[in-house]
């Protein structure tokens, strides 16, 4: 018989327990402003069982701060971010890709521009984990995309200790620190995937990543000539506001319609990059007119100023839906080019 008297134990609502855990995380300053998932030792162990990597392996570090992060700590922050255990190998591969970037190891997380990681996932793992590669791939609504990227940001905050008003020096920052993880739309792209371009076998789960400053949209639904479209893209790439210290940068997240128009016009990805690099040009006078004459130096007013000096500075990824002539220009952080590497997603005892 159940106790019904005054001394009967009061049932504890599990929702109240979860809420208390969330509030505790806020009190400890473990969150990025949004609620996090409370993590137990059992949860941590469940995540670690999803990867063959040693929990004590160091996968990230901030050399200037003398801080480093292990697989175990990444697992805890991935769980807090709302990841499922099977997402952890992708999060770890994203860290591998980020640590291949000189700007990341050189203190990029603390830049005044507040750069965010752009994570590109290729291969069969996209479908296996529900990583969105089609409509709204840069936006909200997909757990894997959102939480994989969020796991990176929480690790930067909680393990490397880079928080706003403390070691984070961002003037405004980017909302992208919450989530810029996309799958490449390999099924509708006219070109080889980024991972294959960088040496991975087709279908292999693979992650590339870089820090970016922002995204700028290109809405061109009327062009029928691929060079007209390229001129529109180059005009966006050549915006003077992106010039810092005499250099700029760019990358493209092309919509399927734009990618197919270019491919049908005979352009491969390397051709697109070369065309943009050649035509995204301003003059010394343009720079002086916006107060950036230092970048132009003593050059005459009509001297050309290439905004993207070399084609390899332009990573090109096809992502999103085939429903409108829309693309995005992204601005990779740093001007020495990105690492051009892709990193395998290790699941169980081997790479997927």
């Amino acid at each position: 018989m159940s106790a019904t008297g005054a001394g009967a134990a009061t049932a504890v609502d599990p929702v109240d327990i979860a809420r208390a855990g969330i509030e505790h995380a806020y009190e400890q300053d473990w969150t990025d402003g949004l609620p996090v998932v409370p993590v137990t030792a059992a949860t941590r162990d469940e995540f670690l069982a999803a990867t063959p990597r040693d929990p004590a392996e160091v996968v990230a570090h901030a050399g200037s701060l003398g801080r480093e992060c292990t697989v175990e700590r990444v697992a805890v922050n991935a769980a807090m971010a709302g990841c499922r255990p099977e997402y952890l190998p992708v999060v770890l591969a994203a860290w591998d890709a980020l640590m291949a970037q000189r700007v990341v190891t050189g203190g990029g997380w603390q830049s005044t521009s507040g750069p965010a990681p752009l994570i590109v996932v290729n291969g069969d793992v996209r479908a296996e984990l529900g990583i969105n590669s089609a409509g709204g791939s840069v936006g909200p609504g997909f757990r894997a995309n959102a939480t994989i990227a969020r796991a990176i940001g929480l690790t930067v905050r909680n393990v490397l200790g880079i928080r706003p008003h403390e070691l984070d020096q961002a003037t405004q920052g980017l909302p992208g620190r919450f989530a810029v993880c996309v799958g490449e739309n390999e099924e509708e792209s006219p070109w080889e995937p980024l991972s294959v371009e960088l040496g991975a076998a087709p279908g292999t789960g693979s992650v590339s990543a870089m820090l970016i400053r922002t995204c700028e949209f290109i809405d061109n639904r009327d062009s029928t000539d691929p060079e007209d479209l390229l001129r529109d893209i180059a005009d966006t790439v050549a915006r003077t506001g992106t010039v810092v210290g005499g250099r700029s940068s760019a990358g493209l997240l092309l919509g399927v319609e734009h990618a197919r128009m270019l491919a049908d016009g005979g352009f491969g990805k390397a051709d697109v990059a070369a065309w943009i690099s050649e035509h995204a040009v301003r003059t010394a006078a343009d720079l002086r007119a916006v107060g950036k004459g230092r970048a132009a130096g003593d050059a005459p007013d009509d001297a050309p100023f290439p905004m993207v000096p070399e084609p390899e500075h332009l990573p090109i990824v096809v992502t999103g839906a085939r429903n409108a002539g829309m693309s995005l220009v992204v601005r990779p952080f740093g001007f020495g080019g990105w690492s051009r590497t892709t990193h395998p997603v290790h699941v169980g005892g081997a790479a997927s």
Side-chain angles (χ1 to χ4, degrees), residues 124-145:
D124 297 342
V125 71
R126 295 167 302 136
E128 293 166 6
L129 300 184
I131 295 172
N132 183 26
S133 306
S137 60
V138 184
F142 295 85
R143 180 177 180 177
N145 298 60

Side-chain angles (χ1 to χ4, degrees), residues 86-160:
E86 55 265 36
Y87 301 172
L88 179 61
V90 176
V91 176
L92 292 170
W95 269 115
D96 293 339
L98 286 165
M99 294 308 295
Q101 298 290 116
R102 183 180 60 82
V103 294
V104 174
T105 58
W109 295 119
Q110 295 176 266
S111 169
T112 52
S113 61
L118 168 62
I119 301 163
V120 180
V121 183
N122 286 108
D124 297 342
V125 71
R126 295 167 302 136
E128 293 166 6
L129 300 184
I131 295 172
N132 183 26
S133 306
S137 60
V138 184
F142 295 85
R143 180 177 180 177
N145 298 60
T147 60
I148 288 168
R150 189 187 184 203
I152 301 295
L154 282 178
T155 304
V156 169
R157 176 187 183 90
N158 293 331
V159 183
L160 302 184

Side-chain angles (χ1 to χ4, degrees), residues 288-315:
R288 293 187 179 109
V290 297
K292 295 185 175 180
R294 183 176 63 174
D298 298 327
D301 280 351
D302 62 353
F305 185 88
M307 301 295 278
V308 184
E310 298 178 5
E312 54 265 31
H313 288 198
L314 280 90

Side-chain angles (χ1 to χ4, degrees), residues 7 29 53 60 82 104 114-115 134 139 154-155 161 172 176 185 191 238-239 262 269 280 328 345:
D29 199 22
R53 299 174 72 162
V104 174
L154 282 178
T155 304
Q172 285 98 17
N185 192 339
W191 301 311
R239 185 170 66 82
L262 294 170
K269 282 198 289 185
L328 293 172
V345 176

